[in-house]
PDB file of all heavy atoms in Angstrom:
ATOM      1  N   HIS A 539       0.886  47.032  24.625  1.00 95.00           N
ATOM      2  CA  HIS A 539      -0.415  47.580  24.802  1.00 95.00           C
ATOM      3  C   HIS A 539      -0.714  48.222  26.154  1.00 95.00           C
ATOM      4  O   HIS A 539      -1.822  48.788  26.349  1.00 95.00           O
ATOM      5  CB  HIS A 539      -1.526  46.565  24.519  1.00 95.00           C
ATOM      6  CG  HIS A 539      -1.457  45.932  23.074  1.00 95.00           C
ATOM      7  ND1 HIS A 539      -2.088  46.549  22.064  1.00 95.00           N
ATOM      8  CD2 HIS A 539      -0.831  44.802  22.589  1.00 95.00           C
ATOM      9  CE1 HIS A 539      -1.869  45.798  20.961  1.00 95.00           C
ATOM     10  NE2 HIS A 539      -1.083  44.795  21.303  1.00 95.00           N
ATOM     11  N   GLU A 540       0.231  48.013  27.099  1.00 94.00           N
ATOM     12  CA  GLU A 540       0.062  48.576  28.444  1.00 94.00           C
ATOM     13  C   GLU A 540      -1.156  47.975  29.141  1.00 94.00           C
ATOM     14  O   GLU A 540      -1.807  48.700  29.937  1.00 94.00           O
ATOM     15  CB  GLU A 540       0.032  50.067  28.394  1.00 94.00           C
ATOM     16  CG  GLU A 540       1.345  50.692  27.880  1.00 94.00           C
ATOM     17  CD  GLU A 540       1.276  52.177  27.934  1.00 94.00           C
ATOM     18  OE1 GLU A 540       0.193  52.798  28.139  1.00 94.00           O
ATOM     19  OE2 GLU A 540       2.385  52.827  27.775  1.00 94.00           O
ATOM     20  N   LYS A 541      -1.471  46.785  28.847  1.00 93.00           N
ATOM     21  CA  LYS A 541      -2.599  46.109  29.438  1.00 93.00           C
ATOM     22  C   LYS A 541      -2.420  44.569  29.215  1.00 93.00           C
ATOM     23  O   LYS A 541      -1.779  44.219  28.241  1.00 93.00           O
ATOM     24  CB  LYS A 541      -3.954  46.555  28.895  1.00 93.00           C
ATOM     25  CG  LYS A 541      -4.129  46.406  27.401  1.00 93.00           C
ATOM     26  CD  LYS A 541      -5.404  47.075  26.902  1.00 93.00           C
ATOM     27  CE  LYS A 541      -5.288  48.588  26.968  1.00 93.00           C
ATOM     28  NZ  LYS A 541      -6.351  49.322  26.298  1.00 93.00           N
ATOM     29  N   PRO A 542      -2.959  43.707  30.026  1.00 93.00           N
ATOM     30  CA  PRO A 542      -2.798  42.254  29.859  1.00 93.00           C
ATOM     31  C   PRO A 542      -3.557  41.764  28.620  1.00 93.00           C
ATOM     32  O   PRO A 542      -4.375  42.418  28.027  1.00 93.00           O
ATOM     33  CB  PRO A 542      -3.447  41.707  31.163  1.00 93.00           C
ATOM     34  CG  PRO A 542      -4.361  42.730  31.667  1.00 93.00           C
ATOM     35  CD  PRO A 542      -3.781  44.074  31.296  1.00 93.00           C
ATOM     36  N   LEU A 543      -3.244  40.519  28.321  1.00 93.00           N
ATOM     37  CA  LEU A 543      -3.736  39.910  27.067  1.00 93.00           C
ATOM     38  C   LEU A 543      -5.246  39.898  26.982  1.00 93.00           C
ATOM     39  O   LEU A 543      -5.819  40.250  25.917  1.00 93.00           O
ATOM     40  CB  LEU A 543      -3.151  38.472  26.940  1.00 93.00           C
ATOM     41  CG  LEU A 543      -3.643  37.709  25.754  1.00 93.00           C
ATOM     42  CD1 LEU A 543      -3.283  38.346  24.425  1.00 93.00           C
ATOM     43  CD2 LEU A 543      -3.142  36.251  25.808  1.00 93.00           C
ATOM     44  N   PHE A 544      -5.937  39.582  28.117  1.00 90.00           N
ATOM     45  CA  PHE A 544      -7.395  39.404  28.025  1.00 90.00           C
ATOM     46  C   PHE A 544      -8.047  40.705  27.724  1.00 90.00           C
ATOM     47  O   PHE A 544      -9.041  40.811  26.985  1.00 90.00           O
ATOM     48  CB  PHE A 544      -7.901  38.789  29.339  1.00 90.00           C
ATOM     49  CG  PHE A 544      -8.026  39.733  30.462  1.00 90.00           C
ATOM     50  CD1 PHE A 544      -9.220  40.380  30.731  1.00 90.00           C
ATOM     51  CD2 PHE A 544      -6.977  39.951  31.280  1.00 90.00           C
ATOM     52  CE1 PHE A 544      -9.306  41.295  31.819  1.00 90.00           C
ATOM     53  CE2 PHE A 544      -7.048  40.807  32.402  1.00 90.00           C
ATOM     54  CZ  PHE A 544      -8.231  41.524  32.630  1.00 90.00           C
ATOM     55  N   LYS A 545      -7.488  41.841  28.199  1.00 91.00           N
ATOM     56  CA  LYS A 545      -8.042  43.145  27.891  1.00 91.00           C
ATOM     57  C   LYS A 545      -7.752  43.560  26.463  1.00 91.00           C
ATOM     58  O   LYS A 545      -8.585  44.174  25.804  1.00 91.00           O
ATOM     59  CB  LYS A 545      -7.484  44.219  28.820  1.00 91.00           C
ATOM     60  CG  LYS A 545      -7.998  44.105  30.293  1.00 91.00           C
ATOM     61  CD  LYS A 545      -7.524  45.325  31.087  1.00 91.00           C
ATOM     62  CE  LYS A 545      -8.172  45.242  32.484  1.00 91.00           C
ATOM     63  NZ  LYS A 545      -7.744  46.453  33.303  1.00 91.00           N
ATOM     64  N   VAL A 546      -6.595  43.170  25.943  1.00 92.00           N
ATOM     65  CA  VAL A 546      -6.288  43.484  24.572  1.00 92.00           C
ATOM     66  C   VAL A 546      -7.255  42.723  23.594  1.00 92.00           C
ATOM     67  O   VAL A 546      -7.807  43.322  22.644  1.00 92.00           O
ATOM     68  CB  VAL A 546      -4.860  43.043  24.222  1.00 92.00           C
ATOM     69  CG1 VAL A 546      -4.497  43.311  22.724  1.00 92.00           C
ATOM     70  CG2 VAL A 546      -3.855  43.829  25.109  1.00 92.00           C
ATOM     71  N   LEU A 547      -7.502  41.455  23.945  1.00 91.00           N
ATOM     72  CA  LEU A 547      -8.407  40.663  23.106  1.00 91.00           C
ATOM     73  C   LEU A 547      -9.862  41.284  23.173  1.00 91.00           C
ATOM     74  O   LEU A 547     -10.567  41.339  22.172  1.00 91.00           O
ATOM     75  CB  LEU A 547      -8.455  39.188  23.621  1.00 91.00           C
ATOM     76  CG  LEU A 547      -7.307  38.368  23.194  1.00 91.00           C
ATOM     77  CD1 LEU A 547      -7.385  36.972  23.861  1.00 91.00           C
ATOM     78  CD2 LEU A 547      -7.226  38.168  21.712  1.00 91.00           C
ATOM     79  N   SER A 548     -10.277  41.676  24.358  1.00 90.00           N
ATOM     80  CA  SER A 548     -11.624  42.278  24.511  1.00 90.00           C
ATOM     81  C   SER A 548     -11.727  43.532  23.737  1.00 90.00           C
ATOM     82  O   SER A 548     -12.758  43.827  23.070  1.00 90.00           O
ATOM     83  CB  SER A 548     -11.914  42.490  25.994  1.00 90.00           C
ATOM     84  OG  SER A 548     -13.175  43.089  26.175  1.00 90.00           O
ATOM     85  N   GLU A 549     -10.682  44.363  23.765  1.00 89.00           N
ATOM     86  CA  GLU A 549     -10.708  45.616  23.119  1.00 89.00           C
ATOM     87  C   GLU A 549     -10.734  45.415  21.562  1.00 89.00           C
ATOM     88  O   GLU A 549     -11.456  46.073  20.855  1.00 89.00           O
ATOM     89  CB  GLU A 549      -9.461  46.475  23.474  1.00 89.00           C
ATOM     90  CG  GLU A 549      -9.326  47.789  22.867  1.00 89.00           C
ATOM     91  CD  GLU A 549      -8.054  48.503  23.257  1.00 89.00           C
ATOM     92  OE1 GLU A 549      -7.011  48.261  22.606  1.00 89.00           O
ATOM     93  OE2 GLU A 549      -8.119  49.210  24.271  1.00 89.00           O
ATOM     94  N   TYR A 550      -9.911  44.470  21.120  1.00 91.00           N
ATOM     95  CA  TYR A 550      -9.850  44.173  19.702  1.00 91.00           C
ATOM     96  C   TYR A 550     -11.184  43.633  19.173  1.00 91.00           C
ATOM     97  O   TYR A 550     -11.709  44.036  18.130  1.00 91.00           O
ATOM     98  CB  TYR A 550      -8.760  43.181  19.361  1.00 91.00           C
ATOM     99  CG  TYR A 550      -8.644  42.757  17.919  1.00 91.00           C
ATOM    100  CD1 TYR A 550      -7.856  43.485  17.027  1.00 91.00           C
ATOM    101  CD2 TYR A 550      -9.382  41.638  17.439  1.00 91.00           C
ATOM    102  CE1 TYR A 550      -7.804  43.194  15.648  1.00 91.00           C
ATOM    103  CE2 TYR A 550      -9.290  41.336  16.081  1.00 91.00           C
ATOM    104  CZ  TYR A 550      -8.545  42.044  15.220  1.00 91.00           C
ATOM    105  OH  TYR A 550      -8.453  41.693  13.904  1.00 91.00           O
ATOM    106  N   GLY A 551     -11.811  42.736  19.976  1.00 88.00           N
ATOM    107  CA  GLY A 551     -13.045  42.159  19.556  1.00 88.00           C
ATOM    108  C   GLY A 551     -14.172  43.183  19.401  1.00 88.00           C
ATOM    109  O   GLY A 551     -14.975  43.119  18.496  1.00 88.00           O
TER     110      GLY A 551
END
Side-chain angles (χ1 to χ4, degrees):
H539 298 276
E540 298 182 346
K541 60 188 70 171
L543 175 62
F544 78 94
K545 287 188 176 182
V546 178
L547 284 174
S548 179
E549 181 182 87
Y550 178 86

